[in-house]
Amino acid sequence: MSEDLKIIEEVTGSDYKYGFVSNIEEELAPPGLNEEIIRFISQKKNEPEWLLEWRLKAFRAWQKMKEPKWANIHYPPIDFQSLHYYAAPKKQQRPKSLDEIDPEIRRTFEKLGIPLEEQKLLAGVAVDAVLDSVSVATTFKEKLAELGIIFCSMSEAIQEHPDLVRKYLGSVVPYNDNFYAALNSAVFSDGSFVYVPPGVRCPMELSTYFRINAAKTGQFERTLIIADEGSYVSYLEGCTAPMRDEHQLHAAVVELIALKDAEIKYSTVQNWYPGDKEGKGGIYNFVTKRGICKGPNAKISWTQVETGSAITWKYPSVILLGDNSVGEFYSIALTNNHQQADTGTKMIHIGKNTRSRIVSKSIAAGKSNNSYRGLVRVLKKAENARNYSQCDSMLIGNRCGAHTFPYIEVENKTATVEHEATVSKIGEDMLFYLNQRGIPTEEAVALIVNGFSEEVLQHLPMEFAVEARKLLAISLEGSVG
Amino acid sequence: MHNAKQPLLVIENLHVAVDDKQILKGVDLTIYPGEIHAIMGPNGSGKSTLAAVLAGREDYTILQGRVFFDGKDLLEMSPEERAAAGLFLAFQYPVEIPGVSMLTFLRTALNEIRKSNGEEPIDTRTFLQRVREAAQLLGLGNDFLQRAVNVGFSGGEKKRNEILQMAVLRPKLAILDETDSGLDIDALKIVANAVNSLFGTIQSYLIITHYQRLLNYIEPDYVHVMYDGKIVRSGDKTLALELEAKGYDWLRSETLSSIELPSTTT
Ligand SMILES: Nc1ncnc2c1ncn2[C@@H]1O[C@H](COP(=O)(O)OP(=O)(O)O)[C@@H](O)[C@H]1O
Ligand SMILES: [Mg+2]
């Protein structure tokens, strides 16, 4: 192995920088999963009867389901009975203002660089922060309320806006959709809720930070975003977790509903703890994300930067029901050391003249394994549907793997479906060229990877693009191999 | 005259191998500040190998010899340290970096070099001014600076881009490896003019070329002829003309008749 490659390997072996544990008193449900626990969660949250019933239906469906095995990922069986399904910071009263938040929680979020402080909020980002299972603070609420925009925790939405929740919850991802979605439906504890009324353009980015803190807990957020006719909203989620030796399960569900002429832009920067260099610990990130373009001319755009988690299993999808609706998926998935990612998208074309665009950039370093899995499906009535997919993989070193599994099912002859794929390696020629210009190998790798990811990064809101660039560089420190 | 000054580059008895194949077989060369040297020689004689070894490319085994740059042991330094010390190589085959704009690339390079030398990052205005001036000097528009490094560049653009980088980074010694090949006469004049006008800011040049024509525009103080891993002849610029007139075969018949020469295309 060449010297450069060795250096890159050392560089990508660097440490996770968000791995601290916060010393916050937690209220924990006993471990294990049964109807009792589900009733406990539902009662804790003072939920209406219909929701408890829905959870129980999901639980019963889940019991009959098997863990999916088709993804290109490998891990020992998860003991679902050893996990805690509810963990919450102990303070019972929800804080009324930012000053009332437990200082330790605030310090946690400060360490994460989340702008909870009012002054920082002037930057124009409204934040909902979810620690373990409970939403801790939602900022900018009043300002949004003036426009009729609802941005709150899911628990609060269930209390304050039950009709909206009841109408849309499970309407895109049914309670029995898949193993992890069913589990989430049974035990979800919190998450974010957004409703944008007709014709309103949400004036700021809405943002949620998720953090798993408690040990041996699963985190099951549920996020629901509804963009009513002619509205627009851009939403961003970020995630981190402490370093722990054992694996932790994260099984979220996100549902997006874009009505006629509405647009939802959903961006994720996922940086859950990936485990150590030997593959010990790290988050299992098994997530179901799906949006529906319900009315004509609706648009849903997913952008994701996935650098964390021991295992990522995630396929943000769009159902293109309305005529002329548009679905987009822009993804960067970076794996290093022993990380595994099987991620991609599904674009389901139902309406006429529907268009979808997929740009996937996979970067694999260390001994990691990175797969793109995508489905483009054009149904019979989807006249003139168009899809363009581009899947590029970059390998750093010789011990990682990148795979592409594109599935295309077309039932309408007028459809146009294009797929392009490339695989490249960070070559010594490239590194030497940059070194000769004074750029050390570590920075050179960051530059190359950022360049490779540029097409996706440009779809992130500005501040987050800057963050994402840094994150890509940090995640690769020590990796040329 | 140059005895008063310290030499910028000293190569002593350099022997280099790749994959057990010996390529450089005892190269000696000294370059003082303010000098322009040219190395000519047939394909495969080891010119690019010498350039690559000076720039610090790995894969080469130094069998013997020493190299000093500005008084420092060059062979002990990493490629980026050499760049920071002021050694620049214009590549014979420039490399594409998809998605990285020229501006980002140049700024990163310049700031890394400044950092190594204990300087602050360059401020945006000064940087942009310097880059635009350099682009203008090379006859390249500002839109060129938005493009990804070498991606989709024509052969000529790639070569001019190397000189553009040199103009922005302002090294002490620039080694130009066949920068002239593949350039039409107009582009050749632009490059030569840029090289000449930067002379002074850039203390010395080592110009590697297969043909004499570049030397019509850039006047070297010394011309060396490399053959089979050695400098077999040195002289002033008239040596280049002599080579041009007689061809490399002349060298072979005169001094190296026993060795098979690779064919030369002129
Ligand atoms: N990386 C390498 N591996 C094997 N042989 C090489 C390598 N680089 C150069 N050579 C050989 O070394 C000799 C000199 O090449 P080079 O330095 O490129 O010559 P020039 O630039 O004078 O044309 C050639 O025979 C070439 O094939
Ligand atoms: Mg050469």
Side-chain angles (χ1 to χ4, degrees):
Chain A
M1 183 168 46
S2 75
E3 200 53 39
D4 268 341
L5 297 187
K6 259 185 266 165
I7 295 170
I8 302 183
E9 202 143 85
E10 280 156 28
V11 191
T12 28
S14 90
D15 300 325
Y16 187 67
K17 294 184 174 54
Y18 305 90
F20 54 87
V21 177
S22 300
N23 194 11
I24 303 160
E25 265 201 277
E26 299 263 5
E27 183 175 17
L28 269 185
L33 185 51
N34 49 49
E35 296 205 357
E36 246 18 72
I37 292 284
I38 289 164
R39 283 177 206 282
F40 170 82
I41 295 171
S42 190
Q43 189 207 338
K44 267 277 160 207
K45 305 178 86 63
N46 193 27
E47 287 176 354
E49 189 58 28
W50 66 264
L51 189 50
L52 173 62
E53 283 311 314
W54 190 75
R55 286 177 180 278
L56 291 171
K57 267 198 299 194
F59 176 64
R60 287 164 201 148
W62 177 75
Q63 284 179 306
K64 296 191 195 101
M65 294 168 116
K66 287 212 164 64
E67 247 180 289
K69 291 283 179 230
W70 44 261
N72 188 20
I73 52 180
H74 306 278
Y75 57 96
I78 299 172
D79 179 3
F80 289 95
Q81 293 303 338
S82 72
L83 294 176
H84 293 274
Y85 288 87
Y86 184 82
K90 218 167 195 171
K91 249 190 193 151
Q92 265 306 346
Q93 276 312 79
R94 218 184 127 76
K96 290 201 179 54
S97 79
L98 289 172
D99 301 331
E100 287 177 28
I101 295 172
D102 184 333
E104 187 66 28
I105 293 180
R106 285 183 64 169
R107 270 193 292 277
T108 302
F109 286 117
E110 269 160 33
K111 275 190 230 171
L112 295 171
I114 299 166
L116 266 183
E117 306 286 345
E118 280 297 353
Q119 57 202 12
K120 293 186 195 158
L121 288 178
L122 294 175
V125 180
V127 178
D128 184 24
V130 178
L131 183 73
D132 289 325
S133 304
V134 171
S135 178
V136 181
T138 308
T139 58
F140 260 129
K141 214 165 152 172
E142 279 135 50
K143 195 169 166 193
L144 294 167
E146 285 168 24
L147 294 163
I149 297 170
I150 304 167
F151 177 39
C152 63
S153 71
M154 186 60 102
S155 311
E156 198 174 331
I158 290 164
Q159 302 304 321
E160 309 288 328
H161 311 282
D163 296 345
L164 278 173
V165 175
R166 192 168 187 179
K167 181 167 176 191
Y168 289 109
L169 185 75
S171 71
V172 192
V173 179
Y175 66 85
N176 57 357
D177 187 80
N178 67 68
F179 185 82
Y180 294 108
L183 179 62
N184 174 287
S185 303
V187 301
F188 79 87
S189 37
D190 217 332
S192 293
F193 177 86
V194 177
Y195 172 79
V196 188
V200 172
R201 200 179 159 84
C202 185
M204 61 185 79
E205 310 280 344
L206 302 184
S207 167
T208 301
Y209 268 85
F210 293 109
R211 171 130 183 118
I212 297 179
N213 193 51
K216 294 201 165 60
T217 45
Q219 179 151 332
F220 305 94
E221 322 92 33
R222 184 109 200 168
T223 293
L224 180 57
I225 299 177
I226 303 139
D228 213 324
E229 294 189 2
S231 70
Y232 168 83
V233 62
S234 167
Y235 182 92
L236 182 122
E237 61 169 8
C239 345
T240 60
M243 300 193 317
R244 295 191 188 280
D245 287 347
E246 83 268 21
H247 293 289
Q248 285 180 282
L249 177 63
H250 174 251
V253 172
V254 175
E255 296 177 280
L256 310 183
I257 295 116
L259 301 182
K260 181 178 165 221
D261 298 323
E263 178 175 350
I264 301 174
K265 191 170 154 50
Y266 192 106
S267 314
T268 303
V269 176
Q270 187 265 108
N271 185 28
W272 296 117
Y273 178 52
D276 70 9
K277 280 169 226 173
E278 275 71 52
K280 198 167 179 206
I283 303 291
Y284 289 164
N285 191 34
F286 300 145
V287 172
T288 305
K289 290 185 168 175
R290 195 176 301 152
I292 184 165
C293 290
K294 249 190 139 145
N297 307 309
K299 179 174 175 184
I300 288 178
S301 181
W302 298 100
T303 305
Q304 60 174 23
V305 178
E306 304 278 321
T307 60
S309 296
I311 301 180
T312 298
W313 179 95
K314 171 177 174 189
Y315 315 89
S317 304
V318 185
I319 300 168
L320 296 151
L321 181 64
D323 291 348
N324 309 311
S325 59
V326 177
E328 294 175 336
F329 175 72
Y330 299 102
S331 170
I332 299 166
L334 183 155
T335 53
N336 192 6
N337 297 319
H338 290 264
Q339 282 177 277
Q340 305 177 62
D342 193 299
T343 182
T345 185
K346 285 190 233 174
M347 293 289 172
I348 314 295
H349 293 256
I350 303 172
K352 294 189 186 73
N353 303 314
T354 47
R355 278 169 294 150
S356 64
R357 183 177 170 83
I358 298 169
V359 178
S360 162
K361 304 276 178 176
S362 311
I363 301 142
K367 295 178 185 164
S368 68
N369 209 4
N370 200 326
S371 303
Y372 167 82
R373 186 182 303 277
L375 169 67
V376 175
R377 184 148 182 233
V378 178
L379 275 71
K380 266 211 187 72
K381 290 185 181 153
E383 290 288 316
N384 297 314
R386 268 182 293 159
N387 162 267
Y388 173 74
S389 304
Q390 183 191 328
C391 301
D392 299 324
S393 310
M394 177 172 270
L395 298 169
I396 303 176
N398 301 320
R399 293 173 304 164
C400 49
H403 316 273
T404 306
F405 304 100
Y407 301 92
I408 297 169
E409 297 169 15
V410 178
E411 295 167 28
N412 184 308
K413 280 191 188 131
T414 61
T416 319
V417 177
E418 284 176 81
H419 178 87
E420 287 176 29
T422 65
V423 182
S424 58
K425 258 190 155 183
I426 292 194
E428 288 181 37
D429 283 350
M430 228 188 238
L431 287 175
F432 179 63
Y433 190 68
L434 294 170
N435 289 160
Q436 208 302 304
R437 297 304 184 247
I439 305 170
T441 299
E442 195 174 311
E443 280 72 24
V445 170
L447 200 64
I448 294 166
V449 166
N450 270 304
F452 175 73
S453 311
E454 184 53 36
E455 257 180 286
V456 173
L457 289 171
Q458 62 185 235
H459 290 280
L460 284 175
M462 243 284 259
E463 315 85 281
F464 300 120
V466 173
E467 269 311 296
R469 273 175 210 287
K470 282 192 217 147
L471 196 55
L472 288 175
I474 290 169
S475 308
L476 276 176
E477 277 176 10
S479 77
V480 174
Chain B
M1 73 177 206
H2 39 57
N3 289 345
K5 289 194 218 160
Q6 250 228 50
L8 186 56
L9 180 75
V10 179
I11 304 172
E12 290 175 0
N13 194 29
L14 188 64
H15 289 69
V16 171
V18 183
D19 299 336
D20 301 330
K21 181 184 166 195
Q22 193 171 344
I23 295 168
L24 298 184
K25 302 173 179 172
V27 175
D28 291 280
L29 182 67
T30 300
I31 299 178
Y32 281 86
E35 292 179 351
I36 299 178
H37 289 241
I39 295 187
M40 302 181 72
N43 279 327
S45 57
K47 305 183 297 294
S48 290
T49 302
L50 177 64
V53 168
L54 292 176
R57 172 127 212 180
E58 48 184 85
D59 315 327
Y60 294 93
T61 314
I62 313 293
L63 302 170
Q64 254 191 77
R66 301 194 298 177
V67 182
F68 295 95
F69 183 71
D70 223 5
K72 284 173 286 197
D73 185 347
L74 190 72
L75 300 179
E76 286 296 304
M77 296 157 78
S78 67
E80 59 271 25
E81 285 167 346
R82 299 178 196 205
L87 185 145
F88 180 93
L89 170 61
F91 283 66
Q92 185 174 0
Y93 305 107
V95 180
E96 297 183 5
I97 322 269
V100 178
S101 75
M102 283 298 301
L103 280 178
T104 303
F105 167 65
L106 288 168
R107 195 190 178 106
T108 308
L110 190 57
N111 282 337
E112 287 294 339
I113 288 173
R114 291 171 71 97
K115 190 163 88 187
S116 296
N117 293 319
E119 294 169 60
E120 292 294 306
I122 193 164
D123 73 88
T124 305
R125 272 186 69 174
T126 317
F127 170 72
L128 286 176
Q129 198 180 334
R130 191 192 281 200
V131 174
R132 285 186 187 136
E133 273 171 22
Q136 204 166 23
L137 183 63
L138 272 309
L140 298 164
N142 285 344
D143 53 334
F144 184 84
L145 300 168
Q146 311 292 341
R147 293 168 69 183
V149 181
N150 290 321
V151 178
F153 289 15
S154 69
E157 281 176 331
K158 282 183 181 168
K159 293 304 180 77
R160 276 193 277 174
N161 184 25
E162 293 297 289
I163 303 305
L164 166 70
Q165 293 168 44
M166 179 184 85
V168 172
L169 299 180
R170 299 179 181 170
K172 289 181 182 158
L173 171 69
I175 304 166
L176 313 189
D177 191 359
E178 304 227 14
T179 302
D180 53 333
S181 61
L183 290 183
D184 62 30
I185 189 69
D186 293 332
L188 185 77
K189 282 182 185 166
I190 287 171
V191 164
N193 174 55
V195 168
N196 286 328
S197 66
L198 290 162
F199 190 44
T201 308
I202 295 170
Q203 297 175 9
S204 306
Y205 288 110
L206 177 57
I207 295 170
I208 295 171
T209 179
H210 191 80
Y211 308 111
Q212 189 272 340
R213 64 175 192 157
L214 179 65
L215 305 181
N216 289 331
Y217 303 98
I218 305 170
E219 224 172 277
D221 299 297
Y222 300 95
V223 173
H224 311 277
V225 179
M226 183 171 264
Y227 179 77
D228 190 28
K230 272 190 287 224
I231 288 174
V232 293
R233 233 174 231 231
S234 295
D236 61 13
K237 62 183 179 185
T238 56
L239 179 58
L241 294 167
E242 203 177 338
L243 266 178
E244 176 86 345
K246 298 185 181 170
Y248 288 115
D249 286 347
W250 156 67
L251 270 179
R252 177 176 68 172
S253 54
E254 193 153 279
T255 59
L256 303 148
S257 51
S258 61
I259 303 165
E260 187 62 25
L261 259 182
S263 66
T264 58
T265 46
T266 315

